[in-house]
Amino acid sequence: MFAFGYDEYLLHAFPKDELRPISCTGHNSQGGVGLTLVDALDSLVVMNSPAKLRRAVQWLCQSLAFDVDARVHVFEVTIRALGGLLSTHVMLEREPSAVPGYNGCLLRLAVDLADRLLPAFDTASGIPLSWIHLQKGVLPDETRFTCTACAVTLLLEFGTLSRLTGNQMYEQKAKHAMKRVFGMRSPVTGLVGNTLHTDNQEWLRKDSGIGAGIDSFYEYLLKAYLVFGEVEYLDMFTKVYISAMHGLRLKLLASAPPDSPPPPPWLADADMDTGKLAQPWISSLSAFWPGLQALAGQVEDAKKLLAAWVYAWTQFDGLPDLFDMSASERHPLQKGYPLRPELMESTYLLYAATRDPTLLEVGRTLQATLAEGNKQKCGYAAVADVSTGELEDSMESFLSETSKYLYLLHADAADLPDHYIFSTEGHLLPPFQMANGQQPSANTTMQSASSSYWDWWIPNFGNWLPHTPPADDVGRLDAAIDISETASEAAAVQCAQMCRNVSAAEASKRQHLLQSVLPLVPLPAHDAILLRQRRCTACLQVSASMVQSATSLLPVGTVDGFQQCSASPDGICPADIMQTQAGLVERRFICLLEVQQDKLQCSQYQEIQLAAEMSSLPNNALVLQQRPTQVSQTTLYSLSFLGSENLHLAVGATFGQSLQEAGQCGPACLGDSICNLLGAIIIAEPADACGPLTNAQELSGAVLLVDRGSCSFMEKAMNVEQAGAVAVIVINNKDSEAAFAMGSDEQPHGVKILAMMVSKHIGQDLRHCKDSSRGGSEPHLLNIDLVDLSNATLGSAQSAYMEQHVYVPEATQSWLENNGDVTRLAQQDKSKSTWQSLVLDLAASIQSMQT
């Protein structure tokens, strides 16, 4: 696969940058510097192609020059050209026989290229620009915006260049940029945005994620620690990893419809400040995450996430750029698969960490798909549309990454990550001794989970710490949080395999086997010791921090707009301590429809940003918009049974008495009276109270439950009052409606009882509690209190006063009309003869959960 693609590139495209495998031509993407050749250079070492390697190095040393009239992308040229030159130089210096007479020319080319990129760092913040001219430097009208990954994914290459040349300037500039971006994290979630201004450090796009525009921000923090050994990089990675795992994973919302399945383990794009879903699509670039988790020792999480990625691959025969959260629909516009390597990378790295043979089968599946669907006359072509199999005339990075990871997987080179770290472009970089020459000892590595440097900042915890978190020179917020002994012990168990001692005999045997399949790759024994030690430390630190952040701290963020409590078994605070974040606010939810268990339900249900783009949605998406009603003229009551802490919400009518008139009032410490009403709760007979009540003898001083319908609200209230009750609670028995303020066109006739309405869901709860009270022989006493809406402190008040609007996009209407299971369900019940009825029933069940 690699040999075919490489030979075709040399035949049809070299020395241009890229091969067009369908038309058998070449084109330039980054100045015409033979980019594919430079990018594939260390692949020739890995795949034991000495003759091709020597010819390639000879041409580069004699003919390659970066003094060209071209504007290039700093990120692309760094990871592809600079990385390829540095990786190959290191291996040729270690193994001179691979290219006899090699004189270090690749390093000299790397220095020349890096020097031409340096002016990009000359910004007010030190964060580099995205584009540079190789001869003229920064052009006068150059864009000042850059993506997060573009700004920071220079650290490994520039840091390696500093270690090889002794010139610290390269690493200092790249490290400064990383710390600047790190310092721009949200103080609420700890997340970073997607696009920023290089001068004033303002976010242009605040959508966060682990996919396009951000991915290698996470990757290079961990890998910088593994390559350079500086604990500061590991500390920074631990913080952002925890923020991502808490803030970006799909959540099972408290307001999700009944019987909702747990969400898959995707990390999706979310607003960096609120944590709400930014778009209902998963980026294929984020398939690198399981591999990163494997490097950090988070193997179990990596297995679950990789399984989801493999499922998506089999669903689409490739990974479209964007697909929906259920992996059933590809994005209508970003629907291609440009031969991305991330899934191959994760499969290989997880195999290296586990030796699970099923991952070898996954590799064969991936390779078979490419061999059958992508091989063309002159190479391997990208997919323009995974749904049709239409191909695109391009083959970027296939030789440096995709084919390399498949080769390493099938060659059973599982020990290579003990010797080298792969850059984001798949280039092999060795570990270096720390700048001061010191390394943690083997004895302290296993104990590092309880060491003194456990001082990471955990998202959303700064607001309850007893001190103000200090800010460093780049505005990074930190707060000391001690790691518990329990968390340290859990980390030691999780990392036992990664941290186990490898005897000299075993290490020698493993190295010999690896050398037999990678004969040109130098494998110094001391590198394996160094990397295993650092990966152990990383595993212990990240694992203990994850345990600590999940179990020991309150609060840990918000769920469904409410404060989340880790002390509560279901993760949601009890009703009496719920608090909304900002009173009554407009909210939007997205539901991906599916038919399961003979009903229409949400396969995925997530809250999405109001500002999220709604023009492109999955074909089965239902949007539910909740808007606050006018509360200034409405009264809200809390209902609780005597001796119970559970609260229910009721909406007061526009007629009848107030609680001050109907109840008992006493003085309050702030001068306002406190009123409540206490009465036995009785069910009306007849249930709708539209005529004389047959159980009037037991209604004196009672609170009466009645059903909506058959007569006016006023008539019900008058009948209840005549029977001697002090309050009436009308149950709204319409599934599609929440409770609302009852009014009447009739004259009020001086109704002198308290009147209110509850939703069907709450009415069922009230009936259940009444029926179960004291064996049913004695009435249950209900206490009615007034809810103060001036600060909306009671969380349940939010949903009780939300109007729900259901939006069914045209594509979803078509999906519903043409889905045989939907049609069958609608025809089973004559009252639900159309898909509209099924959708309204589902929407009503969702609203009842939120009321």
Side-chain angles (χ1 to χ4, degrees), residues 651-664:
V651 183
T654 60
F655 58 83
Q657 289 185 324
S658 66
L659 186 60
Q660 287 84 348
E661 295 170 324
Q664 297 180 349

PDB file of all heavy atoms in Angstrom, residues 651-664:
ATOM      1  N   VAL A 651     -49.326  26.397  39.229  1.00  0.00           N
ATOM      2  CA  VAL A 651     -49.481  27.747  38.680  1.00  0.00           C
ATOM      3  C   VAL A 651     -50.818  28.312  39.145  1.00  0.00           C
ATOM      4  O   VAL A 651     -51.873  27.718  38.923  1.00  0.00           O
ATOM      5  CB  VAL A 651     -49.420  27.716  37.148  1.00  0.00           C
ATOM      6  CG1 VAL A 651     -49.498  29.129  36.589  1.00  0.00           C
ATOM      7  CG2 VAL A 651     -48.151  27.026  36.673  1.00  0.00           C
ATOM      8  N   GLY A 652     -50.770  29.467  39.818  1.00  0.00           N
ATOM      9  CA  GLY A 652     -51.981  30.080  40.347  1.00  0.00           C
ATOM     10  C   GLY A 652     -52.898  30.615  39.264  1.00  0.00           C
ATOM     11  O   GLY A 652     -52.450  31.047  38.199  1.00  0.00           O
ATOM     12  N   ALA A 653     -54.226  30.585  39.553  1.00  0.00           N
ATOM     13  CA  ALA A 653     -55.216  31.106  38.613  1.00  0.00           C
ATOM     14  C   ALA A 653     -55.270  32.633  38.701  1.00  0.00           C
ATOM     15  O   ALA A 653     -54.803  33.244  39.679  1.00  0.00           O
ATOM     16  CB  ALA A 653     -56.587  30.512  38.914  1.00  0.00           C
ATOM     17  N   THR A 654     -55.879  33.233  37.682  1.00  0.00           N
ATOM     18  CA  THR A 654     -56.044  34.691  37.693  1.00  0.00           C
ATOM     19  C   THR A 654     -57.292  35.109  38.464  1.00  0.00           C
ATOM     20  O   THR A 654     -57.564  36.293  38.602  1.00  0.00           O
ATOM     21  CB  THR A 654     -56.126  35.228  36.251  1.00  0.00           C
ATOM     22  OG1 THR A 654     -57.258  34.632  35.592  1.00  0.00           O
ATOM     23  CG2 THR A 654     -54.852  34.893  35.483  1.00  0.00           C
ATOM     24  N   PHE A 655     -58.062  34.149  38.953  1.00  0.00           N
ATOM     25  CA  PHE A 655     -59.249  34.441  39.756  1.00  0.00           C
ATOM     26  C   PHE A 655     -59.114  33.739  41.105  1.00  0.00           C
ATOM     27  O   PHE A 655     -58.203  32.938  41.319  1.00  0.00           O
ATOM     28  CB  PHE A 655     -60.518  33.976  39.029  1.00  0.00           C
ATOM     29  CG  PHE A 655     -60.528  32.509  38.688  1.00  0.00           C
ATOM     30  CD1 PHE A 655     -60.918  31.554  39.626  1.00  0.00           C
ATOM     31  CD2 PHE A 655     -60.147  32.073  37.429  1.00  0.00           C
ATOM     32  CE1 PHE A 655     -60.916  30.209  39.317  1.00  0.00           C
ATOM     33  CE2 PHE A 655     -60.148  30.727  37.111  1.00  0.00           C
ATOM     34  CZ  PHE A 655     -60.533  29.783  38.055  1.00  0.00           C
ATOM     35  N   GLY A 656     -60.025  34.012  42.022  1.00  0.00           N
ATOM     36  CA  GLY A 656     -60.003  33.380  43.329  1.00  0.00           C
ATOM     37  C   GLY A 656     -59.157  34.152  44.330  1.00  0.00           C
ATOM     38  O   GLY A 656     -58.659  35.249  44.056  1.00  0.00           O
ATOM     39  N   GLN A 657     -59.017  33.559  45.500  1.00  0.00           N
ATOM     40  CA  GLN A 657     -58.273  34.203  46.563  1.00  0.00           C
ATOM     41  C   GLN A 657     -56.767  34.042  46.380  1.00  0.00           C
ATOM     42  O   GLN A 657     -56.298  33.130  45.708  1.00  0.00           O
ATOM     43  CB  GLN A 657     -58.680  33.620  47.920  1.00  0.00           C
ATOM     44  CG  GLN A 657     -60.079  34.007  48.385  1.00  0.00           C
ATOM     45  CD  GLN A 657     -60.348  33.497  49.787  1.00  0.00           C
ATOM     46  OE1 GLN A 657     -59.894  32.416  50.147  1.00  0.00           O
ATOM     47  NE2 GLN A 657     -61.075  34.269  50.574  1.00  0.00           N
ATOM     48  N   SER A 658     -56.040  34.944  47.020  1.00  0.00           N
ATOM     49  CA  SER A 658     -54.589  34.792  47.111  1.00  0.00           C
ATOM     50  C   SER A 658     -54.274  33.924  48.322  1.00  0.00           C
ATOM     51  O   SER A 658     -55.148  33.661  49.160  1.00  0.00           O
ATOM     52  CB  SER A 658     -53.922  36.153  47.255  1.00  0.00           C
ATOM     53  OG  SER A 658     -54.273  36.740  48.504  1.00  0.00           O
ATOM     54  N   LEU A 659     -53.032  33.490  48.415  1.00  0.00           N
ATOM     55  CA  LEU A 659     -52.628  32.686  49.564  1.00  0.00           C
ATOM     56  C   LEU A 659     -52.719  33.506  50.845  1.00  0.00           C
ATOM     57  O   LEU A 659     -53.046  32.978  51.914  1.00  0.00           O
ATOM     58  CB  LEU A 659     -51.199  32.151  49.365  1.00  0.00           C
ATOM     59  CG  LEU A 659     -50.699  31.170  50.429  1.00  0.00           C
ATOM     60  CD1 LEU A 659     -51.589  29.930  50.487  1.00  0.00           C
ATOM     61  CD2 LEU A 659     -49.252  30.758  50.146  1.00  0.00           C
ATOM     62  N   GLN A 660     -52.459  34.798  50.745  1.00  0.00           N
ATOM     63  CA  GLN A 660     -52.573  35.655  51.927  1.00  0.00           C
ATOM     64  C   GLN A 660     -54.011  35.686  52.441  1.00  0.00           C
ATOM     65  O   GLN A 660     -54.251  35.764  53.643  1.00  0.00           O
ATOM     66  CB  GLN A 660     -52.112  37.088  51.596  1.00  0.00           C
ATOM     67  CG  GLN A 660     -50.607  37.242  51.420  1.00  0.00           C
ATOM     68  CD  GLN A 660     -50.146  36.895  50.012  1.00  0.00           C
ATOM     69  OE1 GLN A 660     -50.915  36.329  49.238  1.00  0.00           O
ATOM     70  NE2 GLN A 660     -48.895  37.215  49.703  1.00  0.00           N
ATOM     71  N   GLU A 661     -54.977  35.612  51.514  1.00  0.00           N
ATOM     72  CA  GLU A 661     -56.385  35.638  51.907  1.00  0.00           C
ATOM     73  C   GLU A 661     -56.878  34.263  52.344  1.00  0.00           C
ATOM     74  O   GLU A 661     -57.682  34.154  53.284  1.00  0.00           O
ATOM     75  CB  GLU A 661     -57.241  36.128  50.728  1.00  0.00           C
ATOM     76  CG  GLU A 661     -56.958  37.555  50.326  1.00  0.00           C
ATOM     77  CD  GLU A 661     -57.629  37.928  49.022  1.00  0.00           C
ATOM     78  OE1 GLU A 661     -57.712  37.053  48.120  1.00  0.00           O
ATOM     79  OE2 GLU A 661     -58.060  39.079  48.900  1.00  0.00           O
ATOM     80  N   ALA A 662     -56.384  33.218  51.710  1.00  0.00           N
ATOM     81  CA  ALA A 662     -56.917  31.881  51.978  1.00  0.00           C
ATOM     82  C   ALA A 662     -56.170  31.152  53.082  1.00  0.00           C
ATOM     83  O   ALA A 662     -56.729  30.271  53.728  1.00  0.00           O
ATOM     84  CB  ALA A 662     -56.885  31.043  50.707  1.00  0.00           C
ATOM     85  N   GLY A 663     -54.903  31.505  53.305  1.00  0.00           N
ATOM     86  CA  GLY A 663     -54.091  30.733  54.232  1.00  0.00           C
ATOM     87  C   GLY A 663     -53.878  31.421  55.560  1.00  0.00           C
ATOM     88  O   GLY A 663     -54.576  32.377  55.928  1.00  0.00           O
ATOM     89  N   GLN A 664     -52.893  30.905  56.279  1.00  0.00           N
ATOM     90  CA  GLN A 664     -52.511  31.480  57.564  1.00  0.00           C
ATOM     91  C   GLN A 664     -51.182  32.188  57.399  1.00  0.00           C
ATOM     92  O   GLN A 664     -50.251  31.654  56.808  1.00  0.00           O
ATOM     93  CB  GLN A 664     -52.392  30.383  58.618  1.00  0.00           C
ATOM     94  CG  GLN A 664     -53.703  29.652  58.894  1.00  0.00           C
ATOM     95  CD  GLN A 664     -53.536  28.573  59.956  1.00  0.00           C
ATOM     96  OE1 GLN A 664     -52.425  28.233  60.329  1.00  0.00           O
ATOM     97  NE2 GLN A 664     -54.661  28.056  60.434  1.00  0.00           N
TER      98      GLN A 664
END
